[in-house]
Amino acid sequence: MSKSNFLNRDLSNPKQVYVLDTPSLERDRVVRFLGKSAFAVTVFSTPFAFFKKNDIQQSGPSVLIANIELPNIAGVDFLEQLKIAQLNIPVIFYGKAQHVPQGVAAVKRGALNFLLMPANQEPIIELIEDGLQISAELQNSFSPDKTLQSKLSLLSPREQEVFFLLIRGYSNAELVSALGISLDTAKQYKSSLMRKLEAKSLSQLISLATMNMSHVQPASHLEIRPS
């Protein structure tokens, strides 16, 4: 089997992972172990090549894992381009220690997570599985009973306030200041709403909300001011 066929084999497999990075040893390592983990892997060297592919999301749930240092575009700006292109695909960024501030900013803007490389295979695969679950939920979100908006109806008014502040990047301390509640109470609301929304982590919650914001609106009694 040729290298090209190996990287792009079994595209009917619903576990589709796109890798976006310039040729490097790190990219080769990621692609190699993903290929051995029953994922269908497609590799892109530039954002242009990725956006040029016109069947993203058409073959089932998918996840994008990308270097935070992309050619000619910052990771946060790449996320904005995804929104403009209406590609609701979970994104996992990776990079080195000097890229941590960029990674944190990207997670606050909707990336699923940022991995410091080199990383062990297990956390990468776990994140990809989380992303595939989010992708599947997004693809099913056209059913009214499965939208994030529907799930938000399970939250109390206070939990909804906390939710909309969390997805804008508020920390626990900022929740305390904004809502006039204690730190313990803020943590309790946060834990409760994440359980009701079936989010395993804060980054997963932000990613799911960011990619589904066209379906999500604050309840009429909530006044969410722009940052």
Side-chain angles (χ1 to χ4, degrees), residues 20-206:
L20 174 57
D21 194 359
T22 54
S24 66
L25 293 176
E26 193 65 67
R27 187 188 79 171
D28 290 346
R29 187 183 74 86
V30 170
V31 169
R32 191 160 48 247
F33 81 72
L34 289 180
K36 294 178 180 178
S37 303
F39 296 112
V41 183
T42 304
V43 182
F44 302 93
S45 296
T46 66
F48 176 78
F50 175 79
F51 286 117
K52 190 175 179 182
K53 184 174 175 60
N54 58 16
D55 62 348
I56 301 289
Q57 297 181 304
Q58 292 181 7
S59 58
S62 57
V63 172
L64 173 64
I65 179 167
N67 194 323
I68 194 78
E69 282 284 286
L70 295 169
N72 303 317
I73 187 171
V76 170
D77 293 333
F78 177 75
L79 290 176
E80 293 302 315
Q81 291 299 313
L82 286 175
K83 293 177 185 178
I84 292 172
Q86 297 184 329
L87 290 175
N88 294 331
I89 181 171
V91 180
I92 301 165
F93 283 116
Y94 62 82
K96 300 186 182 300
Q98 64 265 33
H99 302 135
V100 169
Q102 298 174 53
V104 171
V107 170
K108 286 186 175 181
R109 296 293 290 274
L112 183 58
N113 214 324
F114 172 77
L115 289 167
L116 191 60
M117 289 298 192
N120 293 329
Q121 297 181 16
E122 185 175 343
I124 297 177
I125 291 175
E126 288 180 354
L127 278 173
I128 288 174
E129 293 288 1
D130 287 346
L132 289 169
Q133 180 181 345
I134 291 173
S135 181
E137 290 176 1
L138 288 171
Q139 291 189 5
N140 292 330
S141 66
F142 295 103
S143 301
D145 61 332
K146 293 184 178 180
T147 62
L148 183 57
Q149 183 72 60
S150 177
K151 287 184 177 181
L152 285 178
S153 67
L154 301 174
L155 304 183
S156 69
R158 199 57 150 172
E159 287 171 342
Q160 290 190 33
E161 287 183 297
V162 173
F163 168 80
F164 281 102
L165 292 176
L166 283 174
I167 64 175
R168 291 168 59 197
Y170 276 54
S171 65
N172 286 340
E174 289 170 327
L175 289 176
V176 168
S177 176
L179 299 176
I181 57 180
S182 70
L183 180 59
D184 286 343
T185 300
K187 290 180 178 179
Q188 288 173 6
Y189 281 132
K190 186 172 163 183
S191 176
S192 177
L193 73 87
M194 288 179 65
R195 183 180 67 254
K196 291 179 181 179
L197 297 178
E198 301 177 337
K200 295 180 181 179
S201 65
L202 180 58
S203 59
Q204 185 187 57
L205 176 71
I206 294 173

